[in-house]
CSV table of all heavy atoms in Angstrom, one decimal:
chain,number,residue,atom,x,y,z
A,42,ARG,N,180.4,-292.1,-66.1
A,42,ARG,CA,181.5,-293.0,-66.5
A,42,ARG,C,181.5,-293.3,-67.9
A,42,ARG,O,180.4,-293.3,-68.6
A,42,ARG,CB,181.4,-294.3,-65.7
A,42,ARG,CG,181.4,-294.2,-64.2
A,42,ARG,CD,181.3,-295.5,-63.5
A,42,ARG,NE,182.3,-296.4,-64.0
A,42,ARG,CZ,183.5,-296.5,-63.4
A,42,ARG,NH1,183.8,-295.8,-62.3
A,42,ARG,NH2,184.4,-297.3,-63.8
A,43,GLN,N,182.6,-293.6,-68.4
A,43,GLN,CA,182.8,-294.1,-69.8
A,43,GLN,C,182.5,-295.5,-70.0
A,43,GLN,O,182.2,-296.0,-71.1
A,43,GLN,CB,184.1,-293.7,-70.4
A,43,GLN,CG,184.4,-292.2,-70.4
A,43,GLN,CD,183.4,-291.5,-71.3
A,43,GLN,OE1,183.2,-291.8,-72.4
A,43,GLN,NE2,182.8,-290.4,-70.7
A,44,GLY,N,182.7,-296.3,-69.0
A,44,GLY,CA,182.5,-297.8,-69.1
A,44,GLY,C,182.0,-298.3,-67.8
A,44,GLY,O,181.9,-297.7,-66.8
A,45,ALA,N,181.7,-299.6,-67.8
A,45,ALA,CA,181.2,-300.3,-66.6
A,45,ALA,C,182.4,-300.6,-65.6
A,45,ALA,O,183.5,-300.6,-66.0
A,45,ALA,CB,180.6,-301.7,-67.1
A,46,PHE,N,182.0,-300.8,-64.4
A,46,PHE,CA,182.9,-301.2,-63.4
A,46,PHE,C,182.5,-302.6,-62.8
A,46,PHE,O,181.4,-302.9,-62.8
A,46,PHE,CB,183.1,-300.2,-62.3
A,46,PHE,CG,181.9,-300.0,-61.4
A,46,PHE,CD1,181.7,-300.8,-60.3
A,46,PHE,CD2,181.0,-299.0,-61.6
A,46,PHE,CE1,180.6,-300.6,-59.4
A,46,PHE,CE2,179.9,-298.8,-60.8
A,46,PHE,CZ,179.7,-299.7,-59.7
A,47,SER,N,183.5,-303.3,-62.3
A,47,SER,CA,183.3,-304.6,-61.8
A,47,SER,C,182.5,-304.5,-60.4
A,47,SER,O,182.9,-303.6,-59.6
A,47,SER,CB,184.6,-305.3,-61.5
A,47,SER,OG,184.4,-306.6,-60.8
A,48,GLY,N,181.5,-305.3,-60.3
A,48,GLY,CA,180.6,-305.1,-59.1
A,48,GLY,C,181.0,-306.0,-57.9
A,48,GLY,O,180.2,-306.2,-57.0
A,49,ASP,N,182.2,-306.5,-57.9
A,49,ASP,CA,182.6,-307.5,-56.8
A,49,ASP,C,183.4,-306.9,-55.7
A,49,ASP,O,184.2,-307.6,-55.1
A,49,ASP,CB,183.3,-308.7,-57.4
A,49,ASP,CG,184.7,-308.3,-58.1
A,49,ASP,OD1,185.0,-307.1,-58.1
A,49,ASP,OD2,185.4,-309.2,-58.5
A,50,GLY,N,183.1,-305.7,-55.3
A,50,GLY,CA,183.6,-305.1,-54.1
A,50,GLY,C,185.1,-304.6,-54.1
A,50,GLY,O,185.7,-304.4,-53.1
A,51,GLN,N,185.5,-304.3,-55.3
A,51,GLN,CA,186.9,-303.8,-55.4
A,51,GLN,C,187.0,-302.3,-55.7
A,51,GLN,O,188.0,-301.7,-55.4
A,51,GLN,CB,187.6,-304.5,-56.6
A,51,GLN,CG,187.8,-306.0,-56.3
A,51,GLN,CD,188.5,-306.8,-57.3
A,51,GLN,OE1,189.5,-306.3,-57.8
A,51,GLN,NE2,187.9,-307.9,-57.8
A,52,LEU,N,185.9,-301.7,-56.2
A,52,LEU,CA,185.9,-300.3,-56.4
A,52,LEU,C,185.6,-299.5,-55.1
A,52,LEU,O,184.8,-299.9,-54.3
A,52,LEU,CB,184.7,-299.9,-57.4
A,52,LEU,CG,184.6,-298.5,-57.8
A,52,LEU,CD1,185.9,-298.1,-58.7
A,52,LEU,CD2,183.4,-298.2,-58.6
A,53,ARG,N,186.4,-298.4,-54.9
A,53,ARG,CA,186.3,-297.6,-53.7
A,53,ARG,C,185.9,-296.2,-54.0
A,53,ARG,O,186.7,-295.3,-53.8
A,53,ARG,CB,187.7,-297.7,-53.0
A,53,ARG,CG,188.2,-299.0,-52.6
A,53,ARG,CD,189.6,-298.9,-52.1
A,53,ARG,NE,189.9,-297.8,-51.2
A,53,ARG,CZ,190.6,-297.9,-50.1
A,53,ARG,NH1,191.3,-299.0,-49.9
A,53,ARG,NH2,190.8,-296.9,-49.4
A,54,PRO,N,184.7,-296.0,-54.4
A,54,PRO,CA,184.3,-294.6,-54.7
A,54,PRO,C,184.1,-293.7,-53.5
A,54,PRO,O,184.0,-294.2,-52.4
A,54,PRO,CB,183.0,-294.8,-55.5
A,54,PRO,CG,182.4,-296.0,-54.9
A,54,PRO,CD,183.6,-296.9,-54.6
A,55,LEU,N,184.2,-292.4,-53.7
A,55,LEU,CA,183.9,-291.4,-52.7
A,55,LEU,C,182.4,-291.1,-52.7
A,55,LEU,O,181.8,-291.0,-53.8
A,55,LEU,CB,184.7,-290.1,-53.0
A,55,LEU,CG,186.2,-290.3,-53.0
A,55,LEU,CD1,186.8,-289.0,-53.5
A,55,LEU,CD2,186.6,-290.6,-51.5
A,56,TRP,N,181.8,-290.9,-51.5
A,56,TRP,CA,180.4,-290.7,-51.4
A,56,TRP,C,180.2,-289.4,-50.6
A,56,TRP,O,180.8,-289.1,-49.6
A,56,TRP,CB,179.8,-291.8,-50.6
A,56,TRP,CG,179.9,-293.2,-51.2
A,56,TRP,CD1,181.0,-294.0,-51.1
A,56,TRP,CD2,179.0,-293.8,-52.1
A,56,TRP,NE1,180.8,-295.1,-51.9
A,56,TRP,CE2,179.6,-295.0,-52.5
A,56,TRP,CE3,177.8,-293.5,-52.6
A,56,TRP,CZ2,179.0,-295.9,-53.4
A,56,TRP,CZ3,177.2,-294.3,-53.5
A,56,TRP,CH2,177.8,-295.6,-53.9
A,57,ASP,N,179.3,-288.6,-51.2
A,57,ASP,CA,178.9,-287.3,-50.5
A,57,ASP,C,177.6,-287.6,-49.8
A,57,ASP,O,176.5,-287.7,-50.4
A,57,ASP,CB,178.7,-286.2,-51.5
A,57,ASP,CG,178.3,-284.9,-50.8
A,57,ASP,OD1,178.1,-284.9,-49.6
A,57,ASP,OD2,178.2,-283.9,-51.5
A,58,ILE,N,177.7,-287.8,-48.4
A,58,ILE,CA,176.5,-288.2,-47.6
A,58,ILE,C,176.0,-287.0,-46.8
A,58,ILE,O,175.3,-287.2,-45.8
A,58,ILE,CB,176.7,-289.4,-46.8
A,58,ILE,CG1,177.9,-289.3,-45.9
A,58,ILE,CG2,176.9,-290.6,-47.7
A,58,ILE,CD1,178.0,-290.4,-44.8
A,59,GLY,N,176.6,-285.8,-47.1
A,59,GLY,CA,176.2,-284.6,-46.4
A,59,GLY,C,177.1,-284.2,-45.2
A,59,GLY,O,176.8,-283.2,-44.6
A,60,ASN,N,178.2,-284.9,-45.0
A,60,ASN,CA,179.1,-284.5,-43.9
A,60,ASN,C,179.9,-283.3,-44.3
A,60,ASN,O,180.1,-283.1,-45.5
A,60,ASN,CB,180.0,-285.7,-43.6
A,60,ASN,CG,179.3,-286.8,-42.9
A,60,ASN,OD1,178.3,-286.6,-42.3
A,60,ASN,ND2,179.9,-288.0,-43.0
A,61,ARG,N,180.3,-282.6,-43.3
A,61,ARG,CA,181.1,-281.4,-43.5
A,61,ARG,C,182.3,-281.4,-42.6
A,61,ARG,O,182.3,-282.0,-41.5
A,61,ARG,CB,180.3,-280.1,-43.1
A,61,ARG,CG,179.1,-279.9,-43.9
A,61,ARG,CD,179.5,-279.3,-45.3
A,61,ARG,NE,178.3,-279.2,-46.1
A,61,ARG,CZ,178.3,-279.2,-47.4
A,61,ARG,NH1,179.5,-279.4,-48.1
A,61,ARG,NH2,177.3,-279.0,-48.1
A,62,THR,N,183.4,-280.8,-43.1
A,62,THR,CA,184.6,-280.7,-42.3
A,62,THR,C,184.4,-279.7,-41.2
A,62,THR,O,183.4,-279.0,-41.2
A,62,THR,CB,185.9,-280.4,-43.1
A,62,THR,OG1,185.6,-279.1,-43.7
A,62,THR,CG2,186.1,-281.4,-44.2
A,63,SER,N,185.4,-279.5,-40.3
A,63,SER,CA,185.2,-278.5,-39.2
A,63,SER,C,185.1,-277.1,-39.7
A,63,SER,O,184.6,-276.2,-39.1
A,63,SER,CB,186.4,-278.7,-38.2
A,63,SER,OG,187.6,-278.5,-38.9
A,64,ASP,N,185.7,-276.9,-40.9
A,64,ASP,CA,185.6,-275.5,-41.5
A,64,ASP,C,184.5,-275.4,-42.5
A,64,ASP,O,184.4,-274.4,-43.3
A,64,ASP,CB,186.9,-275.1,-42.1
A,64,ASP,CG,187.4,-276.1,-43.3
A,64,ASP,OD1,186.7,-277.1,-43.5
A,64,ASP,OD2,188.4,-275.7,-43.9
A,65,GLY,N,183.5,-276.3,-42.5
A,65,GLY,CA,182.3,-276.2,-43.3
A,65,GLY,C,182.4,-276.7,-44.7
A,65,GLY,O,181.4,-276.7,-45.5
A,66,GLU,N,183.6,-277.3,-45.1
A,66,GLU,CA,183.7,-277.8,-46.5
A,66,GLU,C,183.1,-279.2,-46.6
A,66,GLU,O,182.9,-279.9,-45.6
A,66,GLU,CB,185.2,-277.9,-46.8
A,66,GLU,CG,185.9,-276.6,-46.9
A,66,GLU,CD,185.4,-275.7,-48.0
A,66,GLU,OE1,185.2,-276.2,-49.1
A,66,GLU,OE2,185.2,-274.5,-47.8
A,67,ARG,N,182.7,-279.5,-47.8
A,67,ARG,CA,182.1,-280.8,-48.1
A,67,ARG,C,183.1,-281.9,-47.7
A,67,ARG,O,184.3,-281.8,-48.1
A,67,ARG,CB,181.7,-280.9,-49.5
A,67,ARG,CG,181.0,-282.2,-49.9
A,67,ARG,CD,180.5,-282.1,-51.3
A,67,ARG,NE,181.6,-282.1,-52.2
A,67,ARG,CZ,181.5,-282.4,-53.5
A,67,ARG,NH1,180.4,-282.7,-54.0
A,67,ARG,NH2,182.6,-282.3,-54.3
A,68,ASP,N,182.7,-283.0,-47.0
A,68,ASP,CA,183.6,-284.1,-46.6
A,68,ASP,C,183.1,-285.3,-47.3
A,68,ASP,O,182.0,-285.8,-47.1
A,68,ASP,CB,183.6,-284.2,-45.1
A,68,ASP,CG,184.7,-285.1,-44.6
A,68,ASP,OD1,185.6,-285.4,-45.3
A,68,ASP,OD2,184.6,-285.5,-43.4
A,69,LEU,N,183.9,-285.9,-48.1
A,69,LEU,CA,183.6,-287.2,-48.8
A,69,LEU,C,184.0,-288.4,-48.0
A,69,LEU,O,185.1,-288.3,-47.3
A,69,LEU,CB,184.2,-287.2,-50.2
A,69,LEU,CG,183.8,-286.0,-51.1
A,69,LEU,CD1,184.6,-286.1,-52.4
A,69,LEU,CD2,182.3,-286.0,-51.3
A,70,ASN,N,183.3,-289.4,-48.1
A,70,ASN,CA,183.6,-290.7,-47.4
A,70,ASN,C,183.8,-291.8,-48.4
A,70,ASN,O,183.2,-291.8,-49.5
A,70,ASN,CB,182.4,-291.0,-46.4
A,70,ASN,CG,182.1,-289.9,-45.5
A,70,ASN,OD1,181.3,-289.0,-45.7
A,70,ASN,ND2,182.9,-289.9,-44.4
A,71,ILE,N,184.6,-292.8,-48.0
A,71,ILE,CA,185.0,-293.9,-48.8
A,71,ILE,C,184.2,-295.1,-48.4
A,71,ILE,O,184.1,-295.4,-47.2
A,71,ILE,CB,186.5,-294.2,-48.8
A,71,ILE,CG1,187.3,-292.9,-49.3
A,71,ILE,CG2,186.8,-295.4,-49.7
A,71,ILE,CD1,188.8,-293.1,-49.1
A,72,ALA,N,183.7,-295.9,-49.4
A,72,ALA,CA,183.0,-297.1,-49.1
A,72,ALA,C,183.2,-298.0,-50.4
A,72,ALA,O,183.1,-297.6,-51.5
A,72,ALA,CB,181.6,-297.0,-48.9
A,73,LEU,N,183.6,-299.3,-50.1
A,73,LEU,CA,183.6,-300.3,-51.2
A,73,LEU,C,182.2,-300.5,-51.6
A,73,LEU,O,181.3,-300.4,-50.9
A,73,LEU,CB,184.3,-301.6,-50.7
A,73,LEU,CG,185.7,-301.5,-50.3
A,73,LEU,CD1,186.1,-302.7,-49.5
A,73,LEU,CD2,186.6,-301.3,-51.5
A,74,ILE,N,182.1,-300.9,-52.9
A,74,ILE,CA,180.7,-301.2,-53.4
A,74,ILE,C,180.6,-302.6,-54.0
A,74,ILE,O,181.5,-303.0,-54.8
A,74,ILE,CB,180.4,-300.1,-54.5
A,74,ILE,CG1,179.0,-300.3,-55.0
A,74,ILE,CG2,181.4,-300.1,-55.6
A,74,ILE,CD1,178.5,-299.1,-55.8
A,75,TRP,N,179.6,-303.3,-53.7
A,75,TRP,CA,179.3,-304.6,-54.2
A,75,TRP,C,177.9,-304.5,-54.9
A,75,TRP,O,176.9,-304.2,-54.3
A,75,TRP,CB,179.2,-305.7,-53.1
A,75,TRP,CG,179.1,-307.1,-53.7
A,75,TRP,CD1,178.1,-307.7,-54.3
A,75,TRP,CD2,180.2,-308.0,-53.7
A,75,TRP,NE1,178.4,-308.9,-54.7
A,75,TRP,CE2,179.7,-309.2,-54.3
A,75,TRP,CE3,181.5,-308.0,-53.2
A,75,TRP,CZ2,180.4,-310.3,-54.5
A,75,TRP,CZ3,182.3,-309.2,-53.4
A,75,TRP,CH2,181.7,-310.3,-54.0
A,76,VAL,N,177.9,-304.8,-56.2
A,76,VAL,CA,176.6,-304.8,-57.0
A,76,VAL,C,176.0,-306.1,-56.8
A,76,VAL,O,176.6,-307.2,-57.1
A,76,VAL,CB,176.9,-304.5,-58.5
A,76,VAL,CG1,175.6,-304.5,-59.2
A,76,VAL,CG2,177.7,-303.1,-58.6
A,77,GLU,N,174.7,-306.1,-56.3
A,77,GLU,CA,174.0,-307.3,-56.1
A,77,GLU,C,173.4,-307.8,-57.5
A,77,GLU,O,172.9,-307.0,-58.2
A,77,GLU,CB,172.9,-307.1,-55.1
A,77,GLU,CG,173.4,-306.8,-53.7
A,77,GLU,CD,172.3,-306.8,-52.7
A,77,GLU,OE1,171.4,-306.0,-52.8
A,77,GLU,OE2,172.4,-307.7,-51.8
A,78,PHE,N,173.5,-309.1,-57.7
A,78,PHE,CA,172.8,-309.8,-58.8
A,78,PHE,C,173.4,-309.3,-60.2
A,78,PHE,O,172.7,-309.5,-61.2
A,78,PHE,CB,171.3,-309.6,-58.7
A,78,PHE,CG,170.8,-309.8,-57.3
A,78,PHE,CD1,170.2,-308.8,-56.6
A,78,PHE,CD2,170.8,-311.1,-56.8
A,78,PHE,CE1,169.7,-309.0,-55.4
A,78,PHE,CE2,170.3,-311.3,-55.5
A,78,PHE,CZ,169.8,-310.3,-54.8
A,79,ALA,N,174.6,-308.8,-60.2
A,79,ALA,CA,175.1,-308.4,-61.5
A,79,ALA,C,176.7,-308.4,-61.4
A,79,ALA,O,177.2,-308.1,-60.3
A,79,ALA,CB,174.7,-307.0,-61.9
A,80,GLN,N,177.3,-308.8,-62.5
A,80,GLN,CA,178.8,-308.8,-62.5
A,80,GLN,C,179.4,-307.5,-62.6
A,80,GLN,O,180.5,-307.2,-62.1
A,80,GLN,CB,179.3,-309.7,-63.7
A,80,GLN,CG,178.8,-311.1,-63.6
A,80,GLN,CD,179.9,-312.0,-63.1
A,80,GLN,OE1,181.0,-311.7,-63.1
A,80,GLN,NE2,179.4,-313.1,-62.5
A,81,GLU,N,178.7,-306.5,-63.2
A,81,GLU,CA,179.2,-305.2,-63.3
A,81,GLU,C,178.0,-304.2,-63.5
A,81,GLU,O,176.9,-304.6,-63.6
A,81,GLU,CB,180.1,-305.1,-64.6
A,81,GLU,CG,179.5,-305.4,-65.9
A,81,GLU,CD,180.4,-305.4,-67.1
A,81,GLU,OE1,181.6,-305.5,-66.9
A,81,GLU,OE2,179.9,-305.2,-68.2
A,82,LEU,N,178.4,-302.9,-63.4
A,82,LEU,CA,177.4,-301.8,-63.5
A,82,LEU,C,177.9,-300.8,-64.5
A,82,LEU,O,179.1,-300.3,-64.3
A,82,LEU,CB,177.1,-301.2,-62.2
A,82,LEU,CG,175.9,-300.2,-62.1
A,82,LEU,CD1,174.6,-300.9,-62.5
A,82,LEU,CD2,175.8,-299.6,-60.7
A,83,GLY,N,177.2,-300.5,-65.5
A,83,GLY,CA,177.6,-299.6,-66.5
A,83,GLY,C,176.9,-298.2,-66.5
A,83,GLY,O,175.9,-298.1,-65.8
A,84,PRO,N,177.3,-297.3,-67.4
A,84,PRO,CA,176.7,-296.0,-67.5
A,84,PRO,C,175.2,-296.1,-67.8
A,84,PRO,O,174.8,-296.9,-68.6
A,84,PRO,CB,177.4,-295.4,-68.7
A,84,PRO,CG,178.7,-296.1,-68.8
A,84,PRO,CD,178.5,-297.5,-68.3
A,85,GLY,N,174.4,-295.3,-67.0
A,85,GLY,CA,173.0,-295.3,-67.2
A,85,GLY,C,172.2,-296.5,-66.6
A,85,GLY,O,171.0,-296.5,-66.7
A,86,GLU,N,172.9,-297.4,-65.9
A,86,GLU,CA,172.3,-298.6,-65.4
A,86,GLU,C,172.0,-298.4,-63.9
A,86,GLU,O,172.6,-297.5,-63.2
A,86,GLU,CB,173.2,-299.8,-65.5
A,86,GLU,CG,173.4,-300.2,-67.0
A,86,GLU,CD,174.3,-301.4,-67.1
A,86,GLU,OE1,175.0,-301.8,-66.2
A,86,GLU,OE2,174.2,-302.0,-68.2
């Protein structure tokens, strides 16, 4: 990333947890993210 994101549960990134579609393609899953003990999370943190 180029900048930090707010850690209060508003960001909805895609996650690759190893799931596959029926045709074998990578399947990404969505989960909101809450950063504990910090207002935001930045590059390299």
Side-chain angles (χ1 to χ4, degrees):
R42 299 178 60 89
Q43 296 300 309
F46 67 86
S47 175
D49 63 356
Q51 297 180 48
L52 185 66
R53 300 168 48 138
L55 296 170
W56 301 85
D57 182 355
I58 60 171
N60 289 336
R61 299 283 178 208
T62 64
S63 59
D64 60 354
E66 295 295 318
R67 185 172 66 161
D68 193 14
L69 300 177
N70 302 94
I71 301 172
L73 296 165
I74 184 169
W75 189 287
V76 179
E77 294 188 298
F78 315 113
Q80 298 263 335
E81 61 183 24
L82 188 62
E86 295 180 340

